[in-house]
mmCIF file of all heavy atoms in Angstrom:
data_model
loop_
_atom_site.group_PDB
_atom_site.id
_atom_site.type_symbol
_atom_site.label_atom_id
_atom_site.label_comp_id
_atom_site.label_asym_id
_atom_site.label_seq_id
_atom_site.Cartn_x
_atom_site.Cartn_y
_atom_site.Cartn_z
ATOM 1 N N VAL A 287 -188.220 -59.543 69.769
ATOM 2 C CA VAL A 287 -189.170 -58.944 68.827
ATOM 3 C C VAL A 287 -190.555 -59.570 69.009
ATOM 4 O O VAL A 287 -191.565 -58.857 69.088
ATOM 5 C CB VAL A 287 -188.680 -59.098 67.376
ATOM 6 C CG1 VAL A 287 -189.757 -58.682 66.389
ATOM 7 C CG2 VAL A 287 -187.406 -58.282 67.170
ATOM 8 N N ALA A 288 -190.601 -60.886 69.099
ATOM 9 C CA ALA A 288 -191.890 -61.560 69.278
ATOM 10 C C ALA A 288 -192.555 -61.131 70.583
ATOM 11 O O ALA A 288 -193.763 -60.870 70.617
ATOM 12 C CB ALA A 288 -191.699 -63.080 69.241
ATOM 13 N N VAL A 289 -191.784 -61.038 71.647
ATOM 14 C CA VAL A 289 -192.332 -60.576 72.932
ATOM 15 C C VAL A 289 -192.813 -59.137 72.807
ATOM 16 O O VAL A 289 -193.852 -58.769 73.357
ATOM 17 C CB VAL A 289 -191.293 -60.733 74.067
ATOM 18 C CG1 VAL A 289 -191.714 -59.983 75.323
ATOM 19 C CG2 VAL A 289 -191.071 -62.207 74.373
ATOM 20 N N GLY A 290 -192.086 -58.336 72.050
ATOM 21 C CA GLY A 290 -192.502 -56.952 71.830
ATOM 22 C C GLY A 290 -193.860 -56.845 71.169
ATOM 23 O O GLY A 290 -194.633 -55.933 71.463
ATOM 24 N N PHE A 291 -194.163 -57.775 70.280
ATOM 25 C CA PHE A 291 -195.477 -57.774 69.632
ATOM 26 C C PHE A 291 -196.532 -58.476 70.491
ATOM 27 O O PHE A 291 -197.707 -58.127 70.424
ATOM 28 C CB PHE A 291 -195.399 -58.413 68.245
ATOM 29 C CG PHE A 291 -194.741 -57.534 67.226
ATOM 30 C CD1 PHE A 291 -193.533 -57.882 66.662
ATOM 31 C CD2 PHE A 291 -195.310 -56.322 66.851
ATOM 32 C CE1 PHE A 291 -192.910 -57.060 65.732
ATOM 33 C CE2 PHE A 291 -194.698 -55.487 65.924
ATOM 34 C CZ PHE A 291 -193.491 -55.864 65.370
ATOM 35 N N ALA A 292 -196.115 -59.425 71.306
ATOM 36 C CA ALA A 292 -197.073 -60.149 72.144
ATOM 37 C C ALA A 292 -197.425 -59.381 73.411
ATOM 38 O O ALA A 292 -198.598 -59.314 73.800
ATOM 39 C CB ALA A 292 -196.503 -61.528 72.524
ATOM 40 N N ASP A 293 -196.420 -58.821 74.063
ATOM 41 C CA ASP A 293 -196.606 -58.236 75.393
ATOM 42 C C ASP A 293 -196.356 -56.738 75.455
ATOM 43 O O ASP A 293 -196.386 -56.152 76.534
ATOM 44 C CB ASP A 293 -195.674 -58.924 76.396
ATOM 45 C CG ASP A 293 -195.955 -60.413 76.518
ATOM 46 O OD1 ASP A 293 -197.120 -60.829 76.331
ATOM 47 O OD2 ASP A 293 -195.009 -61.170 76.800
ATOM 48 N N GLY A 294 -196.072 -56.141 74.318
ATOM 49 C CA GLY A 294 -195.851 -54.705 74.276
ATOM 50 C C GLY A 294 -194.386 -54.366 74.060
ATOM 51 O O GLY A 294 -193.487 -55.156 74.391
ATOM 52 N N PRO A 295 -194.141 -53.187 73.493
ATOM 53 C CA PRO A 295 -192.779 -52.827 73.114
ATOM 54 C C PRO A 295 -191.801 -52.741 74.286
ATOM 55 O O PRO A 295 -190.636 -53.078 74.143
ATOM 56 C CB PRO A 295 -192.943 -51.478 72.422
ATOM 57 C CG PRO A 295 -194.263 -50.958 72.853
ATOM 58 C CD PRO A 295 -195.108 -52.147 73.137
ATOM 59 N N ARG A 296 -192.251 -52.321 75.431
ATOM 60 C CA ARG A 296 -191.331 -52.218 76.571
ATOM 61 C C ARG A 296 -190.839 -53.591 77.024
ATOM 62 O O ARG A 296 -189.665 -53.731 77.399
ATOM 63 C CB ARG A 296 -191.977 -51.456 77.712
ATOM 64 C CG ARG A 296 -192.256 -50.012 77.320
ATOM 65 C CD ARG A 296 -192.522 -49.106 78.487
ATOM 66 N NE ARG A 296 -193.063 -47.833 78.051
ATOM 67 C CZ ARG A 296 -192.391 -46.876 77.447
ATOM 68 N NH1 ARG A 296 -191.136 -47.055 77.168
ATOM 69 N NH2 ARG A 296 -192.958 -45.737 77.103
ATOM 70 N N ALA A 297 -191.701 -54.586 76.977
ATOM 71 C CA ALA A 297 -191.279 -55.948 77.322
ATOM 72 C C ALA A 297 -190.250 -56.446 76.308
ATOM 73 O O ALA A 297 -189.259 -57.078 76.680
ATOM 74 C CB ALA A 297 -192.495 -56.885 77.364
ATOM 75 N N GLY A 298 -190.484 -56.162 75.044
ATOM 76 C CA GLY A 298 -189.531 -56.554 74.018
ATOM 77 C C GLY A 298 -188.209 -55.812 74.161
ATOM 78 O O GLY A 298 -187.135 -56.407 74.003
ATOM 79 N N LEU A 299 -188.274 -54.518 74.470
ATOM 80 C CA LEU A 299 -187.051 -53.731 74.641
ATOM 81 C C LEU A 299 -186.203 -54.251 75.800
ATOM 82 O O LEU A 299 -184.968 -54.264 75.714
ATOM 83 C CB LEU A 299 -187.382 -52.257 74.863
ATOM 84 C CG LEU A 299 -187.750 -51.484 73.605
ATOM 85 C CD1 LEU A 299 -188.392 -50.142 73.974
ATOM 86 C CD2 LEU A 299 -186.536 -51.279 72.711
ATOM 87 N N ALA A 300 -186.845 -54.681 76.869
ATOM 88 C CA ALA A 300 -186.094 -55.214 78.013
ATOM 89 C C ALA A 300 -185.279 -56.433 77.584
ATOM 90 O O ALA A 300 -184.097 -56.558 77.930
ATOM 91 C CB ALA A 300 -187.040 -55.564 79.154
ATOM 92 N N LEU A 301 -185.892 -57.319 76.822
ATOM 93 C CA LEU A 301 -185.176 -58.505 76.336
ATOM 94 C C LEU A 301 -184.126 -58.125 75.299
ATOM 95 O O LEU A 301 -183.025 -58.691 75.271
ATOM 96 C CB LEU A 301 -186.153 -59.522 75.748
ATOM 97 C CG LEU A 301 -187.075 -60.212 76.745
ATOM 98 C CD1 LEU A 301 -188.070 -61.108 76.014
ATOM 99 C CD2 LEU A 301 -186.275 -61.015 77.757
ATOM 100 N N LEU A 302 -184.459 -57.178 74.450
ATOM 101 C CA LEU A 302 -183.522 -56.755 73.403
ATOM 102 C C LEU A 302 -182.294 -56.087 74.027
ATOM 103 O O LEU A 302 -181.165 -56.332 73.598
ATOM 104 C CB LEU A 302 -184.223 -55.804 72.435
ATOM 105 C CG LEU A 302 -183.576 -55.610 71.084
ATOM 106 C CD1 LEU A 302 -183.462 -56.922 70.330
ATOM 107 C CD2 LEU A 302 -184.375 -54.616 70.269
ATOM 108 N N ASP A 303 -182.502 -55.270 75.041
ATOM 109 C CA ASP A 303 -181.376 -54.632 75.721
ATOM 110 C C ASP A 303 -180.470 -55.674 76.369
ATOM 111 O O ASP A 303 -179.240 -55.536 76.348
ATOM 112 C CB ASP A 303 -181.863 -53.624 76.755
ATOM 113 C CG ASP A 303 -182.446 -52.369 76.123
ATOM 114 O OD1 ASP A 303 -182.226 -52.145 74.909
ATOM 115 O OD2 ASP A 303 -183.131 -51.615 76.842
ATOM 116 N N ALA A 304 -181.065 -56.716 76.917
ATOM 117 C CA ALA A 304 -180.256 -57.795 77.505
ATOM 118 C C ALA A 304 -179.459 -58.515 76.411
ATOM 119 O O ALA A 304 -178.270 -58.789 76.579
ATOM 120 C CB ALA A 304 -181.152 -58.778 78.261
ATOM 121 N N ALA A 305 -180.099 -58.795 75.291
ATOM 122 C CA ALA A 305 -179.414 -59.477 74.186
ATOM 123 C C ALA A 305 -178.290 -58.611 73.631
ATOM 124 O O ALA A 305 -177.240 -59.125 73.233
ATOM 125 C CB ALA A 305 -180.410 -59.827 73.088
ATOM 126 N N ALA A 306 -178.487 -57.303 73.605
ATOM 127 C CA ALA A 306 -177.507 -56.382 73.028
ATOM 128 C C ALA A 306 -176.206 -56.343 73.820
ATOM 129 O O ALA A 306 -175.204 -55.816 73.321
ATOM 130 C CB ALA A 306 -178.104 -54.980 72.923
ATOM 131 N N GLN A 307 -176.203 -56.912 75.010
ATOM 132 C CA GLN A 307 -174.972 -56.972 75.800
ATOM 133 C C GLN A 307 -173.949 -57.925 75.180
ATOM 134 O O GLN A 307 -172.768 -57.859 75.495
ATOM 135 C CB GLN A 307 -175.283 -57.393 77.240
ATOM 136 C CG GLN A 307 -176.191 -56.435 77.983
ATOM 137 C CD GLN A 307 -175.667 -55.019 77.992
ATOM 138 O OE1 GLN A 307 -174.522 -54.783 78.372
ATOM 139 N NE2 GLN A 307 -176.483 -54.069 77.557
ATOM 140 N N ASP A 308 -174.419 -58.806 74.306
ATOM 141 C CA ASP A 308 -173.530 -59.752 73.618
ATOM 142 C C ASP A 308 -172.768 -59.000 72.528
ATOM 143 O O ASP A 308 -173.372 -58.479 71.585
ATOM 144 C CB ASP A 308 -174.355 -60.888 73.011
ATOM 145 C CG ASP A 308 -173.511 -62.013 72.476
ATOM 146 O OD1 ASP A 308 -172.465 -61.741 71.835
ATOM 147 O OD2 ASP A 308 -173.889 -63.175 72.683
ATOM 148 N N GLU A 309 -171.465 -58.933 72.651
ATOM 149 C CA GLU A 309 -170.626 -58.178 71.710
ATOM 150 C C GLU A 309 -170.789 -58.635 70.264
ATOM 151 O O GLU A 309 -170.563 -57.856 69.341
ATOM 152 C CB GLU A 309 -169.153 -58.305 72.100
ATOM 153 C CG GLU A 309 -168.800 -57.623 73.391
ATOM 154 C CD GLU A 309 -167.344 -57.851 73.770
ATOM 155 O OE1 GLU A 309 -166.589 -58.468 72.995
ATOM 156 O OE2 GLU A 309 -166.971 -57.397 74.870
ATOM 157 N N ARG A 310 -171.169 -59.896 70.074
ATOM 158 C CA ARG A 310 -171.328 -60.413 68.708
ATOM 159 C C ARG A 310 -172.449 -59.705 67.954
ATOM 160 O O ARG A 310 -172.516 -59.773 66.737
ATOM 161 C CB ARG A 310 -171.582 -61.923 68.733
ATOM 162 C CG ARG A 310 -170.407 -62.721 69.289
ATOM 163 C CD ARG A 310 -170.766 -64.173 69.459
ATOM 164 N NE ARG A 310 -171.720 -64.314 70.560
ATOM 165 C CZ ARG A 310 -172.255 -65.460 70.940
ATOM 166 N NH1 ARG A 310 -171.952 -66.584 70.304
ATOM 167 N NH2 ARG A 310 -173.097 -65.501 71.952
ATOM 168 N N LEU A 311 -173.319 -59.018 68.665
ATOM 169 C CA LEU A 311 -174.451 -58.347 68.035
ATOM 170 C C LEU A 311 -174.211 -56.877 67.736
ATOM 171 O O LEU A 311 -175.088 -56.205 67.194
ATOM 172 C CB LEU A 311 -175.701 -58.485 68.911
ATOM 173 C CG LEU A 311 -176.250 -59.893 69.065
ATOM 174 C CD1 LEU A 311 -177.415 -59.894 70.052
ATOM 175 C CD2 LEU A 311 -176.689 -60.458 67.727
ATOM 176 N N ALA A 312 -173.050 -56.372 68.058
ATOM 177 C CA ALA A 312 -172.780 -54.934 67.892
ATOM 178 C C ALA A 312 -173.031 -54.454 66.471
ATOM 179 O O ALA A 312 -173.528 -53.359 66.261
ATOM 180 C CB ALA A 312 -171.345 -54.615 68.309
ATOM 181 N N ARG A 313 -172.718 -55.278 65.476
ATOM 182 C CA ARG A 313 -172.902 -54.902 64.070
ATOM 183 C C ARG A 313 -174.029 -55.709 63.419
ATOM 184 O O ARG A 313 -174.118 -55.757 62.200
ATOM 185 C CB ARG A 313 -171.591 -55.083 63.312
ATOM 186 C CG ARG A 313 -170.490 -54.159 63.832
ATOM 187 C CD ARG A 313 -169.274 -54.094 62.948
ATOM 188 N NE ARG A 313 -169.568 -53.802 61.557
ATOM 189 C CZ ARG A 313 -169.844 -52.595 61.041
ATOM 190 N NH1 ARG A 313 -169.880 -51.548 61.825
ATOM 191 N NH2 ARG A 313 -170.075 -52.437 59.757
ATOM 192 N N TYR A 314 -174.893 -56.294 64.225
ATOM 193 C CA TYR A 314 -176.010 -57.093 63.704
ATOM 194 C C TYR A 314 -177.171 -56.145 63.406
ATOM 195 O O TYR A 314 -177.910 -55.719 64.297
ATOM 196 C CB TYR A 314 -176.388 -58.174 64.718
ATOM 197 C CG TYR A 314 -177.456 -59.117 64.248
ATOM 198 C CD1 TYR A 314 -177.285 -59.896 63.106
ATOM 199 C CD2 TYR A 314 -178.643 -59.246 64.954
ATOM 200 C CE1 TYR A 314 -178.265 -60.774 62.677
ATOM 201 C CE2 TYR A 314 -179.628 -60.125 64.540
ATOM 202 C CZ TYR A 314 -179.429 -60.878 63.406
ATOM 203 O OH TYR A 314 -180.411 -61.755 62.978
ATOM 204 N N GLN A 315 -177.319 -55.798 62.157
ATOM 205 C CA GLN A 315 -178.288 -54.794 61.728
ATOM 206 C C GLN A 315 -179.707 -55.083 62.207
ATOM 207 O O GLN A 315 -180.404 -54.163 62.647
ATOM 208 C CB GLN A 315 -178.218 -54.628 60.202
ATOM 209 C CG GLN A 315 -179.057 -53.499 59.663
ATOM 210 C CD GLN A 315 -180.491 -53.896 59.387
ATOM 211 O OE1 GLN A 315 -180.853 -55.070 59.373
ATOM 212 N NE2 GLN A 315 -181.311 -52.910 59.176
ATOM 213 N N PRO A 316 -180.201 -56.332 62.140
ATOM 214 C CA PRO A 316 -181.574 -56.573 62.594
ATOM 215 C C PRO A 316 -181.822 -56.191 64.054
ATOM 216 O O PRO A 316 -182.932 -55.778 64.398
ATOM 217 C CB PRO A 316 -181.770 -58.076 62.365
ATOM 218 C CG PRO A 316 -180.861 -58.381 61.211
ATOM 219 C CD PRO A 316 -179.637 -57.531 61.476
ATOM 220 N N LEU A 317 -180.814 -56.280 64.895
ATOM 221 C CA LEU A 317 -180.989 -55.854 66.289
ATOM 222 C C LEU A 317 -181.310 -54.362 66.335
ATOM 223 O O LEU A 317 -182.241 -53.945 67.023
ATOM 224 C CB LEU A 317 -179.725 -56.136 67.102
ATOM 225 C CG LEU A 317 -179.789 -55.584 68.530
ATOM 226 C CD1 LEU A 317 -179.387 -56.645 69.521
ATOM 227 C CD2 LEU A 317 -178.932 -54.357 68.683
ATOM 228 N N HIS A 318 -180.579 -53.572 65.585
ATOM 229 C CA HIS A 318 -180.781 -52.120 65.608
ATOM 230 C C HIS A 318 -182.106 -51.729 64.944
ATOM 231 O O HIS A 318 -182.784 -50.812 65.412
ATOM 232 C CB HIS A 318 -179.587 -51.425 64.965
ATOM 233 C CG HIS A 318 -178.312 -51.749 65.681
ATOM 234 N ND1 HIS A 318 -177.971 -51.186 66.889
ATOM 235 C CD2 HIS A 318 -177.323 -52.625 65.388
ATOM 236 C CE1 HIS A 318 -176.825 -51.684 67.294
ATOM 237 N NE2 HIS A 318 -176.403 -52.561 66.396
ATOM 238 N N ALA A 319 -182.464 -52.431 63.889
ATOM 239 C CA ALA A 319 -183.759 -52.170 63.244
ATOM 240 C C ALA A 319 -184.906 -52.549 64.184
ATOM 241 O O ALA A 319 -185.896 -51.823 64.290
ATOM 242 C CB ALA A 319 -183.855 -52.946 61.930
ATOM 243 N N ALA A 320 -184.760 -53.666 64.879
ATOM 244 C CA ALA A 320 -185.792 -54.092 65.833
ATOM 245 C C ALA A 320 -185.886 -53.095 66.981
ATOM 246 O O ALA A 320 -186.994 -52.734 67.415
ATOM 247 C CB ALA A 320 -185.468 -55.486 66.367
#
């Protein structure tokens, strides 16, 4: 999220998509809102 605001949404999405590979985040609402 911070990278998305610092370097643009696509940079943040790239990191967020990588983080979303962690199964523990499947039901983590802030990930989906971000």
Side-chain angles (χ1 to χ4, degrees):
V287 171
V289 167
F291 286 114
D293 299 330
R296 295 197 193 287
L299 282 166
L301 291 175
L302 199 59
D303 288 345
Q307 298 305 307
D308 189 318
E309 292 177 4
R310 296 173 290 178
L311 294 175
R313 297 192 52 79
Y314 184 60
Q315 187 274 348
L317 174 131
H318 301 284

